[in-house]
């Protein structure tokens, strides 16, 4: 935000009691109605968050652009922001960066991509899975095989890439997205 107030209450209080909790990497904030409690007190431009709400809603935050942002990761799971306002394909966002080399998987809400290496002929098989790309302002889990630093590539002006919304799910097949998810890649 332009006023420099990155506190949870400053950013999320507009959602009222609809906001239940916010997860960060290894931290959480609970909404008690009149205050937020927990180890997560402020948001940062290089971290990603999961906001849990009772009912679908929109949250608009106005402020100054933060991109490009430099990210530092550790081995294992890293919850990172996507710092650009424009959507971008996975390959374009990470091409030529250390993230492309040392990220074994990227997870989004209900989607994932694995960066596969074919050990039989020592070739890079590339990204496979259902994760199409990064959505402006989104947060994503990066699974790092070793620590690295990177910046997303800047979206190419005039290039069109948009995350397509899934068609509505028939009522009898609807579900609530779990924060505990797992994916399987089947090759044969």
């Amino acid at each position: 935000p332009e006023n420099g107030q990155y506190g949870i209450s400053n950013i999320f209080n507009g959602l009222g009691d609809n906001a239940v909790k916010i997860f960060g990497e290894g931290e959480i904030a609970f909404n008690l109605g009149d205050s937020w409690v927990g180890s997560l007190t402020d948001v940062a431009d290089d971290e990603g968050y999961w906001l849990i709400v009772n009912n679908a809603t929109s949250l608009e935050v106005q402020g100054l652009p933060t991109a490009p942002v430099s990210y530092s990761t550790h081995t294992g799971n890293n919850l990172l922001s996507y710092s650009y306002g424009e959507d971008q394909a996975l390959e374009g966002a990470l091409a030529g960066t250390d993230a492309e080399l040392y990220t074994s998987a990227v997870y989004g809400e209900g989607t994932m991509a694995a960066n596969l290496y074919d050990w039989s002929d020592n070739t890079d098989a590339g990204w496979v899975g259902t994760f199409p790309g990064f959505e402006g302002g989104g947060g994503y889990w990066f699974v790092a095989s070793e620590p690295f630093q990177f910046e997303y590539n800047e979206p190419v002006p005039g290039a069109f890439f948009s995350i397509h919304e899934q068609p509505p799910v028939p009522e009898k097949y609807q579900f609530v997205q779990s924060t505990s998810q797992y994916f399987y890649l089947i090759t044969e």
Side-chain angles (χ1 to χ4, degrees):
E2 290 177 352
N3 63 6
Q5 299 296 318
Y6 296 98
I8 295 297
S9 60
N10 183 53
I11 294 174
F12 297 100
N13 270 0
L15 297 174
D17 290 339
N18 191 33
V20 178
K21 55 189 162 189
I22 304 166
F23 292 95
E25 183 182 334
E27 54 190 355
I28 191 169
F30 291 95
N31 185 359
L32 298 180
D34 59 343
S35 65
W36 289 86
V37 297
S39 57
L40 178 60
T41 57
D42 296 304
V43 298
D45 61 359
D46 61 343
E47 296 181 18
Y49 304 94
W50 278 20
L51 171 65
I52 308 300
V53 294
N54 289 317
N55 301 299
T57 188
S58 294
L59 174 67
E60 183 177 317
V61 178
Q62 295 182 356
L64 302 172
T66 60
V69 172
S70 181
Y71 298 87
S72 295
T73 67
H74 53 81
T75 302
N77 296 321
N78 298 267
L79 185 53
L80 305 177
S81 65
Y82 174 66
S83 55
Y84 288 98
E86 301 86 22
D87 298 349
Q88 186 173 189
L90 172 67
E91 294 84 0
L94 302 182
T97 69
D98 282 350
E100 180 182 42
L101 298 174
Y102 303 117
T103 301
S104 53
V106 177
Y107 294 86
E109 186 177 345
T111 64
M112 72 84 63
N115 194 1
L116 299 182
Y117 188 82
D118 188 343
W119 295 101
S120 65
D121 63 1
N122 293 325
T123 59
D124 184 9
W127 294 99
V128 297
T130 60
F131 183 84
F134 299 98
E135 188 173 355
Y140 302 93
W141 286 103
F142 281 63
V143 182
S145 58
E146 63 183 74
F148 63 88
Q149 290 185 317
F150 83 106
E151 290 181 8
Y152 290 102
N153 294 321
E154 187 173 349
V156 177
F160 181 74
F161 177 80
S162 178
I163 305 290
H164 296 292
E165 288 195 29
Q166 298 291 328
V169 176
E171 188 172 332
K172 67 181 180 177
Y173 297 117
Q174 289 183 356
F175 60 93
V176 175
Q177 175 69 41
S178 171
T179 56
S180 302
Q181 56 185 345
Y182 203 81
F183 299 91
Y184 297 92
L185 297 173
I186 300 169
T187 57
E188 294 182 19

